[in-house]
Amino acid sequence: MKILITGGAGYIGSHTIIEILENTDWEVISVDNYANSSEATYKRIKEITNKQFQYYNVDLKDVEATKKVFEANPDISGIIHFAAFKAVPESVAKPLTYYDNNINSLINILSCQKEFNVPNLIFSSSCSVYGNVNELPVTEETLLEKAESPYAYTKQIGERIVDDFIIVNNNYKAISLRYFNPVGAHKSGLNGELPLTTPNNLVPYITQTAIGKLKQLTIFGGDYPTADGTCIRDYIHVSDIASAHVLALQKLIENKDFQNHNIINLGTGKGVSVLEAVKAFEKVSGKKLNYVIGKRREGDVQAIYANNQKAQQLLGWKPIYNIEDMMLSAWKWEQNLQNNL
Ligand code: NAD
Ligand code: WQD
C-alpha cells in the first residue's frame, strides 16, 4: 500500500514517516518544498529506519507539479497532509502568505485526491481552532471561538473545506487530527524539531537556552490565575502524534463504516504549566535553566488541554510518553545537533 505524506521533511511529518516505516509495510512517498525544512531530514529518517522511500521537491501550491506526483504514482491509497506554514506570529505579520500557502495547498491536494481517486485523507489540524474557550478540557464538540490568528483561521477553514469536499464526494473518507502542543524528538535523539530561526515555541527555546544558543528563557507571565501563575498547555510527544496517524489511516482503510469526516483531538488530556515543563527539563537534563518570569505574551490563552476520549475510543490510541520523556528526547536531540549530527 502506497501512502503520500506532504510535508514529510518537517517535524511531525518526518516522525510519522519513521513510525510508518518501523511499524507497517506501507510504501511511503513524501512531498516537500523545504520551505521550513531541508532534504537532510530524509537522510536522518533513513539512518534511523534503514528503509528507503521516494521523495519529491514540489511546492503544493503548484497544482501542475502536484498532479505529476500523482501521475507518477497512480496507486496511492492514502494521503497525510502535513504541509503548511505554522508560525502564529508570522501569520499575523503575513496573513496573505499563510492563506495562500495553507489553503491553496489543501485545495490542490483535494483536487488530486478526487482526480486520481485516492480514498483516504488525514488532515493536520490544531488546537488553535478552539480559540479562547472557557470550557476545559476541550472536546471535539466544544464550539469553536473566533480564530486568534490567520494561522488558526487556516485550520478552521481547512477543516471546513475537507468537510464540504467529503459531503459531496462520499466515496472518500477523512480524519482531521487536532494536535495540541507536539514536542520532543525520536527516542534515538537522531531526529527532532529543527527551527530555522529563533524558535517561538517553548521546548526548543528551553533546549537552545540550556545548550547556550540562546541566553535566557522568558516565561511569558507569572500572574495567571493558575496554581503557579504560569500558562497551562497539553504537551504531547511527537512520536505519540505519529502513532495516531498510523492508527487513523489504518482505521480509514480497514473500517468501511467509518464516518466520512471525523475530527479528533490529539493530546495527553493533562495540563502542564510552563514552570512544570521547565522543572521537568531541569530534572531530566540535570541542568539549571537560565530563566526569568516576564510579561504575558499577547494572544496567549491561560489554559488549554484536551479531552482525548474520542481518540482512545475511535482509534484505540493512547499516548505513552510523559512530560519528562518529552524533555529528555528533546534534550538528546539538541545535544546531537550541537555535535554536528
Ligand atoms: P513543519 O514546518 O516542521 O513541517 C511542515 C512541512 O511542510 C515543512 O517541511 C515545509 O517545508 C512543508 N511545506 C510547507 N508548505 C509547503 C508547500 N506549499 N509545498 C510543499 N511543502 C510545504 O511543521 P510541523 O510542526 O511538522 O507541522 C505539520 C503540520 O501540523 C502543519 O500543518 C501544522 O500546521 C500542524 N500542526 C503543528 C503543530 C506544532 O506545534 N508543530 C501543532 C498543531 C498542528
Ligand atoms: C507554550 C507555552 C507560552 C515560549 C502554539 C500554537 C498552536 C499550536 C502549538 C500549531 C505558552 C509559553 C513559550 C517562550 C514561554 N501550533 N512560552 N516562553 O502558543 O501554546 O501553541 O503551538 O498549530 O497553534 O499557537 O505554544 O510553545 O509557543 O507556548 O513562556 O519563550 O509556553 O506563553 O504558555 P502555544 P508555545
Side-chain angles (χ1 to χ4, degrees), residues 159-313:
E159 288 187 2
R160 175 62 196 265
I161 291 173
V162 173
D163 232 37
D164 290 343
F165 172 79
I166 295 290
I167 285 171
V168 289
N169 296 286
N170 58 12
N171 46 336
Y172 301 112
K173 283 178 287 180
I175 296 180
S176 290
L177 295 172
R178 290 179 178 161
Y179 320 148
F180 278 64
N181 285 55
V183 298
H186 188 259
K187 59 180 187 290
S188 63
L190 297 175
N191 189 46
E193 193 169 5
L194 194 49
L196 297 182
T197 53
T198 305
N200 300 304
N201 296 113
L202 179 66
V203 174
Y205 212 102
I206 289 177
T207 56
Q208 290 195 14
T209 303
I211 207 114
K213 279 190 204 161
L214 297 170
K215 278 211 175 76
Q216 187 177 55
L217 170 78
T218 300
I219 293 183
F220 297 137
D223 57 352
Y224 284 98
T226 59
D228 63 21
T230 64
C231 290
I232 291 174
R233 296 289 181 273
D234 189 336
Y235 299 97
I236 168 93
H237 197 294
V238 66
S239 297
D240 278 328
I241 295 267
S243 70
H245 286 75
V246 176
L247 289 169
L249 205 48
Q250 268 162 350
K251 286 288 169 197
L252 286 186
I253 289 160
E254 287 161 13
N255 189 343
K256 303 256 177 297
D257 304 324
F258 218 71
Q259 195 188 311
N260 290 338
H261 178 205
N262 264 285
I263 291 180
I264 301 178
N265 283 342
L266 289 185
T268 60
K270 188 173 157 19
V272 168
S273 76
V274 181
L275 267 174
E276 285 170 335
V278 167
K279 298 291 165 219
F281 174 80
E282 290 186 328
K283 183 174 167 201
V284 297
S285 67
K287 280 184 89 83
K288 181 90 198 71
L289 193 73
N290 181 17
Y291 71 86
V292 285
I293 308 231
K295 283 196 306 205
R296 292 182 179 195
R297 179 172 71 176
E298 212 183 315
D300 265 342
V301 296
Q302 172 185 316
I304 185 159
Y305 51 93
N307 173 317
N308 65 10
Q309 288 302 306
K310 193 170 173 184
Q312 297 205 31
Q313 282 157 11

Side-chain angles (χ1 to χ4, degrees), residues 123-133 138-140 142-149 151-160 177-180 263 265 304:
F123 172 63
S124 290
S125 189
S126 159
C127 66
S128 62
V129 298
Y130 289 109
N132 252 314
V133 284
V138 284
T139 75
E140 294 80 356
T142 302
L143 280 183
L144 306 187
E145 298 295 335
K146 179 175 176 284
E148 289 290 310
S149 66
Y151 166 74
Y153 198 37
T154 68
K155 294 299 177 184
Q156 285 188 350
I157 301 169
E159 288 187 2
R160 175 62 196 265
L177 295 172
R178 290 179 178 161
Y179 320 148
F180 278 64
I263 291 180
N265 283 342
I304 185 159

Side-chain angles (χ1 to χ4, degrees), residues 11-12 32-33 35-37 59-60 82 86 101 151 155:
Y11 175 45
I12 305 175
D32 204 299
N33 66 347
N36 192 38
S37 56
D59 183 342
L60 296 165
F82 291 107
K86 63 160 179 179
N101 193 57
Y151 166 74
K155 294 299 177 184

